[in-house]
Amino acid sequence: MFNIIIFGPPGAGKGTQSSKLLERYELVHLSTGDVFRSNIKGETELGLLAKSYIDKGELVPDEVTIAMVEDFLATRKDAKGFIFDGFPRTISQGEALDKILTKMGTQIDVVLALEVEENELVTRLLERGKVSGRSDDQSEDKIRNRFAEYNGKTEPLLSFYNDKNILRRINGIGNIDEIFGNLCQAVDSLNHPSK
Ligand code: C5P
Ligand code: MG
């Protein structure tokens, strides 16, 4: 398997770039945010629980998210690999992911971190909010709360992955195809990307 984490703050372009990457490298997309949102739509128990956090721009508790990821992976064991989008978001989630993947006989090959500065992100998210219908894109307050969560809980993962030597930082500002090109270059420069 070949596994990528696409990393970055809210609005960095993780979802946009994931759809391009999964096509090119034939990977299965796991967007934890998308899974939560479809559970919210379907009014499942998980959806109801997740909604209470997502609406406030807070993170869903680790054990809930980790169990959801574990379930997702268990049903897709024949995948060529995964692209993790929006997960992990805490060190505990990162450690849990390592354990799950080890059990599956695989590992994270690369973490692609999109770098975009905060004011640009706020502008992007408010724009997206006009069409996404996402409750958490609707006000600057909620968006700022998501950044606070990112800065406090998620950003420490950068050194977690840097220490493992699998972190690649990519400029996330500019043209979508240009950014995609830089991401592909980072993937292709690895020793054994399975293509
Ligand atoms: O990844 P995305 O931006 O779509 O996530 C939307 C929201 O889902 C986050 O702001 C957070 O409330 C929740 N989430 C979470 N833990 C994750 C992924 C998403 O709590 N690992
Ligand atoms: Mg997203």
Side-chain angles (χ1 to χ4, degrees):
M1 278 190 183
F2 181 66
N3 301 298
I4 298 177
I5 292 175
I6 185 114
F7 192 90
K14 300 186 295 296
T16 304
Q17 295 296 339
S18 288
S19 14
K20 297 172 80 68
L21 287 165
L22 66 93
E23 206 172 298
R24 166 132 179 190
Y25 297 102
E26 297 176 42
L27 304 173
V28 172
H29 189 204
L30 172 50
S31 162
T32 40
D34 286 351
V35 178
F36 284 135
R37 282 184 290 274
S38 83
N39 274 276
I40 291 173
K41 251 197 199 136
E43 298 179 343
T44 67
E45 202 176 318
L46 172 65
L48 218 67
L49 176 77
K51 188 174 172 17
S52 62
Y53 295 93
I54 293 177
D55 279 352
K56 289 181 277 190
E58 290 173 8
L59 291 187
V60 176
D62 283 335
E63 58 276 17
V64 175
T65 307
I66 291 166
M68 180 177 89
V69 169
E70 208 161 6
D71 284 351
F72 181 98
L73 296 177
T75 59
R76 290 166 180 84
K77 288 212 167 97
D78 50 353
K80 277 193 177 181
F82 295 93
I83 175 151
F84 295 93
D85 163 7
F87 181 89
R89 259 184 161 88
T90 63
I91 297 278
S92 303
Q93 291 178 16
E95 289 169 346
L97 181 60
D98 281 348
K99 280 195 193 137
I100 298 168
L101 293 179
T102 302
K103 267 197 241 161
M104 291 168 67
T106 184
Q107 73 291 309
I108 296 296
D109 291 284
V110 66
V111 178
L112 302 169
L114 290 167
E115 299 188 310
V116 180
E117 48 101 13
E118 196 161 310
N119 285 334
E120 162 76 13
L121 294 169
V122 176
T123 310
R124 287 187 188 181
L125 290 169
L126 287 171
E127 272 306 303
R128 183 173 78 182
K130 291 179 192 165
V131 289
S132 71
R134 280 180 55 169
S135 63
D136 56 347
D137 285 343
Q138 300 301 324
S139 80
E140 189 158 341
D141 271 5
K142 286 183 188 181
I143 291 172
R144 294 279 174 202
N145 204 31
R146 287 160 67 194
F147 289 130
E149 290 280 71
Y150 175 81
N151 291 326
K153 298 176 184 168
T154 308
E155 215 233 25
L157 281 164
L158 286 172
S159 27
F160 178 81
Y161 288 118
N162 194 37
D163 291 348
K164 296 179 190 287
N165 247 329
I166 53 174
L167 181 71
R168 301 289 181 277
R169 296 173 187 269
I170 311 286
N171 178 13
I173 295 192
N175 173 293
I176 289 176
D177 289 325
E178 201 176 35
I179 298 168
F180 179 60
N182 292 333
L183 291 169
C184 292
Q185 210 171 33
V187 172
D188 295 340
S189 71
L190 298 171
N191 283 337
H192 28 250
S194 71
K195 273 185 287 176

